[in-house]
Each structure stands twice: as C-alpha cells, then as structure tokens.
Amino acid sequence: MQIANKPQRLHWRHRKAGHSEETAPKPRTTRKKIPGTPNAITGKVSPGPQYAARTRAHCETVLRTFYDFHRDEGTGPIINPFPLDRSRRSGRANAHHTPDRPFAQERTGRYRPTISKRAPRRIPDEMFNALFAALRHNRDRALLAFWVSNGARAEELLTSRQRDALPGQQLVGVIRKGTRAYQQLPCSTDAFVWLRLYQEETRRDGIPRGKNLPLWWTLRRPWRPLNYDAARAMFNRANDLLGANWTLHDLRHTASYRLARDPNMPLTDVQWVLGHAHLTTTQLYLPASQDEVIERVRAHHARRAEQRDRPPAPPAPGYSPDSLKTLFGNSW
C-alpha cells in the first residue's frame, strides 16, 4: 500500500453492461481533475493516486489485530508479521494514561505511518448558500438542511424512518454509527419546511408510505431507499457545478463549528448532539477557522495604519503653548 497505486474501479452501470476499463465510456466532465492538487475554491487537496496515510494506518491496525487473535488461538503464525514498535512491545500505547492529561502521540505499530493532525474544515456561509442553490430537488435541499443543522453523520441521517421526523417538536431520530443507539436530534425549522415539500412530492409520485418505511428514497423508479453512495453522488454533482470538492462530512464539521462557536451553547450540549465519546474531540471546533483568523489579522493591520496616520489629540484647554513646547518640543 505504500508503493502501489489505488485501483481504478469501474462504475456498476458499466460492469452491468459488460464493459471493461478499456471499453467503458469516459465521464462527461469539462474540468480536468489532477489528483493530489488543491482545489481553487475550497483549498482541499484532491485524493492522490496512492493510498492516504490514514487508510494505511487503519489497515495496519486491522491486520495486526487479526494476526494477534489467530496467534493467541493457535490458528495462525507464531510471530505477528505486523509487530508493535520496539519501544512499545512490553504493552499497549497509553497504557498508563492519566485521565486528566491528553493522550501522548505514541507510535503503536512498527509499520504504522505518521498521521498529521487535520483541522476541521467547515464550509463558509457564502459557499454553503451557493452549494444549496445548485441543488435541483427538494429532497436534496432537505438533506443538506438537516445535515448542517443537527450535525449528524451522513449515513446516520439516512437511517431515519418516516415516524422519526417530528416537525411539531423539531426533532428527527437517527441511529448512531458507533453505539447503534437511537437518538433524537433537534433541527432547524427550515429543514422541516424542505422536508414537507419533499413529502408532498413523494405523495404525488407514489413513493411507498408507512411509518416503518425509510424517510429518504431515490427520485427514479424503481423506488429504493437512499443509501450513502447515492447521496454522495448527488452532492458531487452540485460540487461539479461550482468546481468545488466539499464532502458530506464537511457538513457535519460546519454544523459542529456553528454550535461550538455559539457563546450561549454549552460545550457539553454540543458533545451530546454530535455523539462524541470524549469532550476533547468536541473542543477541536472551538478555535477559529483559517479564514476568520486572516480577516482579523487584516483588520488589526488596518487599525494600526489608521492610528499611525491619525494626528495627535490637541492638549486640553488652559495649558500655555510655551510650556508645552518646552516639555514636548515641536510635537504640539
């Protein structure tokens, strides 16, 4: 995985039609996307041809745990081919961690790559408005309104049933990704307005209805519950119109940033909404974004320049000009 490129997967429609990678039609796109280059609008680097460090670290953890299990059961090799780092072989990483201190960056596996910390990337308000305007269907608008207001993960919102949407209480129920627990999340009123418009369209088109049926469906027959891949394709089509490369998870970052930056919103409440196990994860959204810091520094330089060009204040009345000239020279 360190030296090999990622395989190019053929679209399922082309595979179903019997095409191969050589005979498959080329995608109709007007913008040439070079892998590994930053986007001109978002500043995010597009995925490169090789596997990312986080992907390799995840696979290293899975393989090391897999061989540890079979080694302990006696059904595998005697030595784990993915051993721990030499300094950590006597125990696991952060074995003697103190709860009131942050976790140390200890290397666990010998072949585990170093992962750099990434700041949460939110979508600015003006860019989100442009992205929202690029959507063509009320279902897509309702999805984005829910994602950016309740901070749920993309796949979590798609687990909602028709009985889980409660407009009177402004709540929508989702199934959490890690714990698989059912949780009701508060949402904005705009999200339920778009949801109501989408439900009227589903009633007119004949999409199956029932309180135990999924809340989100495809827009074309045969009717199928909307899955993550279809939602991501919808979002990518809107990105292509703007030339951006935002992701569905950036909507969760945007909602988290808006909640955490609200001075009237306790951080523990934000942790409950986001479903974080540790409060330190929620604290990542407290610092200002790069755009806001740049604007504040520019305003600081503008204030400094204004103070430098401003003439000094005149002295209070009643002072003798000769005395002021003797004390301060010709500055008055």
Side-chain angles (χ1 to χ4, degrees):
M1 295 184 69
Q2 294 180 1
I3 62 177
N5 293 337
K6 293 181 290 186
Q8 299 295 331
R9 297 180 180 179
L10 195 62
H11 197 275
W12 65 270
R13 289 194 179 93
H14 301 329
R15 293 198 304 266
K16 189 175 180 180
H19 292 286
S20 60
E21 296 183 1
E22 293 77 12
T23 61
K26 301 300 180 181
R28 299 178 181 178
T29 177
T30 58
R31 299 180 179 90
K32 184 177 180 181
K33 300 178 182 179
I34 302 177
T37 57
N39 186 272
I41 297 178
T42 64
K44 297 177 58 177
V45 179
S46 59
Q50 293 185 338
Y51 291 96
R54 292 180 179 274
T55 305
R56 291 188 278 114
H58 174 74
C59 294
E60 189 271 341
T61 303
V62 172
L63 290 172
R64 177 162 40 83
T65 309
F66 172 81
Y67 283 109
D68 280 342
F69 172 78
H70 284 283
R71 182 194 58 187
D72 297 340
E73 295 293 330
T75 57
I78 301 177
I79 300 177
N80 193 335
F82 294 89
L84 293 173
D85 191 56
R86 295 183 183 275
S87 60
R88 301 301 309 171
R89 287 188 180 181
S90 58
R92 61 179 178 85
N94 296 296
H96 304 284
H97 171 256
T98 305
D100 58 345
R101 294 185 179 181
F103 285 90
Q105 297 296 328
E106 297 180 353
R107 190 173 179 179
T108 305
R110 182 193 297 182
Y111 306 113
R112 189 177 184 86
T114 302
I115 302 176
S116 59
K117 289 186 177 181
R118 295 184 301 179
R121 185 168 303 267
R122 69 178 183 92
I123 304 177
D125 294 340
E126 60 275 6
M127 293 300 302
F128 176 79
N129 295 335
L131 187 64
F132 193 86
L135 302 175
R136 298 181 297 174
H137 303 283
N138 291 328
R139 182 206 65 180
D140 305 338
R141 300 186 183 100
L143 283 170
L144 257 69
F146 275 111
W147 278 324
V148 83
S149 63
N150 59 20
R153 298 177 180 88
E155 61 271 17
E156 290 177 349
L157 184 60
L158 299 178
T159 61
S160 299
R161 302 291 174 176
Q162 296 184 17
R163 67 173 183 270
D164 298 331
L166 303 176
Q169 305 176 16
Q170 291 187 221
L171 297 175
V172 63
V174 300
I175 297 178
R176 284 301 186 180
K177 178 182 177 182
T179 60
R180 309 305 299 173
Y182 179 80
Q183 183 177 355
Q184 290 181 329
L185 300 177
C187 307
S188 63
T189 55
D190 295 338
F192 286 100
V193 171
W194 292 111
L195 176 62
R196 183 59 180 173
L197 295 175
Y198 163 63
Q199 288 177 338
E200 289 297 326
E201 292 180 353
T202 59
R203 185 194 306 268
R204 182 180 63 254
D205 297 338
I207 293 179
R209 297 177 55 195
K211 61 179 183 180
N212 295 325
L213 294 179
L215 181 61
W216 311 102
W217 295 80
T218 57
L219 299 176
R220 295 184 297 179
R221 296 178 183 271
W223 310 121
R224 299 181 305 274
L226 187 68
N227 55 16
Y228 177 79
D229 294 332
R232 183 179 58 182
M234 170 273 298
F235 194 74
N236 290 338
R237 286 192 295 268
N239 272 328
D240 292 339
L241 295 177
L242 303 177
N245 61 346
W246 302 111
T247 61
L248 291 178
H249 202 68
D250 292 337
L251 298 172
R252 175 176 167 86
H253 288 320
T254 304
S256 306
Y257 183 83
R258 293 178 179 180
L259 293 173
R261 297 287 291 177
D262 188 355
N264 298 324
M265 190 74 179
L267 194 61
T268 53
D269 295 348
V270 181
Q271 178 189 9
W272 180 86
V273 171
L274 300 179
H276 289 158
H278 303 283
L279 191 61
T280 54
T281 308
T282 314
Q283 291 176 349
L284 297 176
Y285 301 97
L286 289 178
S289 62
Q290 180 179 352
D291 299 337
E292 292 183 346
V293 174
I294 292 175
E295 291 298 329
R296 292 176 184 175
V297 174
R298 289 175 179 173
H300 164 73
H301 292 312
R303 290 192 300 268
R304 294 279 299 179
E306 183 181 357
Q307 293 176 0
R308 183 176 61 251
D309 300 337
R310 183 185 305 171
Y319 287 94
S320 174
D322 297 335
S323 301
L324 293 176
K325 186 177 182 180
T326 303
L327 291 174
F328 302 104
N330 295 326
S331 59
W332 296 100

